[in-house]
Amino acid sequence: MDVFVIEGGRQLAGSIRINGSKNAALPLMAASLLTDEPLVLSDVPNLSDIRNMTRLLGELGVDSDLATPDHGPDHSQSHGPDHGQTITHRVTDPTQSHARYEIVRTMRASISTLGPLLAKRGYARVSLPGGCAIGQRPVDLHLRGLEALGAIITLDGGDIEATAPGGAPDGSGGRLIGAPIFLGGPFGSTVLGTANILSAATLAKGTTTIESAACEPEIVDLANMLNAMGAKITGAGSPRITIVGVEALHGTTHRVMPDRIEAGTYMCASAITNSKLTLQNCPLDAMMSAIDTLGHMGIHIDATGSNDDPMRRTCTISTSGTIKPVQITTQPHPGFPTDLQAQFMALLCLSNGNSVITEKIFPERFLHVAELTRMGAQIHRQGATAVVTGVKELTGAPVMASDLRASAGLVIAALAAKGTTVINRVYHIDRGYEHLESKLAGVGASIRRADAEEFADSIAAL
Ligand code: EPZ
């Protein structure tokens, strides 16, 4: 098992390119199940979650070719560290429709295969995803939405078994029926639930209206791709999405939108080290809440360069030398994203006052608090709220990563901490951050990946 070894206190300088978004790519990949034609996705990040989704699709009869097609006129087809990877998916065996627990338990986003499988083949068997470090992660809204489209849903041995009207386990026949669906839940909308219902409704008979849909930019990216495949979707990005079902979808080529959470993470890394990093391929138009919060903290994001695509801008991060305290409440988009909560908490540990962070999406998403405290942070958690009292300095320590974004928060704290920090279980980071250590080392951070054995004694004490 790998660890990261980080010597804090270095100022960073230079430029980092933001990858294609993990949380956009996963439902986009699942949508390959909706067509018999090739689906070509470019700027796909090279992450363990992407590899797991490719493996899962393989078990569902989808071939995935990590090919490097000729460079397209805009180089969006190119391959390599500057442009992610290009993957061509194609269904070759539509009779395999069981997403097994062995893969689903490693990646909750496997649930996004349920809607496409059911819509295209009339039948799907997908293991119920378990909970994870940030919460119970139910899928009741997904199932309620599919039942509204006429699906018969049963639970059998930990699997969801879904059959469309007229469908059968051999995938012959069956078709969902468009309907009005209210998809709101106790925490607002559901992102992957919206992706599932949106994808399924494209092939349903008749019109579907999703009320209280997720407005996340990743849903807009999915809708744009589905429309390029022949779907008839309007309203994506708003709480009401309308889908007029069609008989079939064709293939297309789609470039994955940039990762707004990766971009926000590097903005925090630049700010906590009082640096002036440049970020390329930044989806600033999808990050207004995070950028507004940074502004209140005294950290400024300035768009530069001539690129007029607001979703692929170049920007620089500048600080006034002081981090001001703020109040943050995580909300569904366009509110402050829960996936940046840990990273901003790390930054606020060095503010010159008291900040209040309230987690409205995953009330348990505070496993990073204990680890930051080990580094000298002063954080008091009360239920879904944490009060962060800024301190003058953090000190390096052996700490434990728990989930993807908590781990990123620990990296950010370690970059500013005095001395050495050893972050254990960095496989969490490999799920969502491509080449994190080389990107940070490339702008001057002292960070290296090492074998946990090298630090067995200090980790044993965790
Ligand atoms: C997506 O997860 C993201 N994952 C998460 O990012 C992100 O934190 C989350 O949206 C919220 O923005 C991917 O896109 C792959 P939800 P998702 O359904 O769709 C409750 C990361 O770090 N809920 O929007 O699974 C749920 O418990 C990951 O990249 C129900 O009650 O999240 C939560 O409290 C972590 N019933 C809230 O809704 C349901 O059927 C939002 O969850 C579904 C969800």
Side-chain angles (χ1 to χ4, degrees), residues 22-23 108 137-141 190-192 339 361 405:
K22 164 180 85 81
N23 289 353
R108 167 180 167 68
R137 312 299 296 274
V139 292
D140 56 310
L141 297 174
T190 162
V191 177
L192 288 182
D339 290 350
I361 306 296
R405 307 304 175 183

Side-chain angles (χ1 to χ4, degrees), residues 3 6 9 36 41 73 110 141 245 264 279 290 347-348 412 415 429 449:
V3 299
I6 300 172
D36 299 325
L41 295 175
S110 307
L141 297 174
L279 300 182
L347 190 48
L348 289 166
I412 288 163
L415 290 172
I429 292 184
R449 185 183 288 260

Side-chain angles (χ1 to χ4, degrees), residues 133-144:
I134 64 176
Q136 185 213 339
R137 312 299 296 274
V139 292
D140 56 310
L141 297 174
H142 298 240
L143 304 184
R144 204 185 301 166

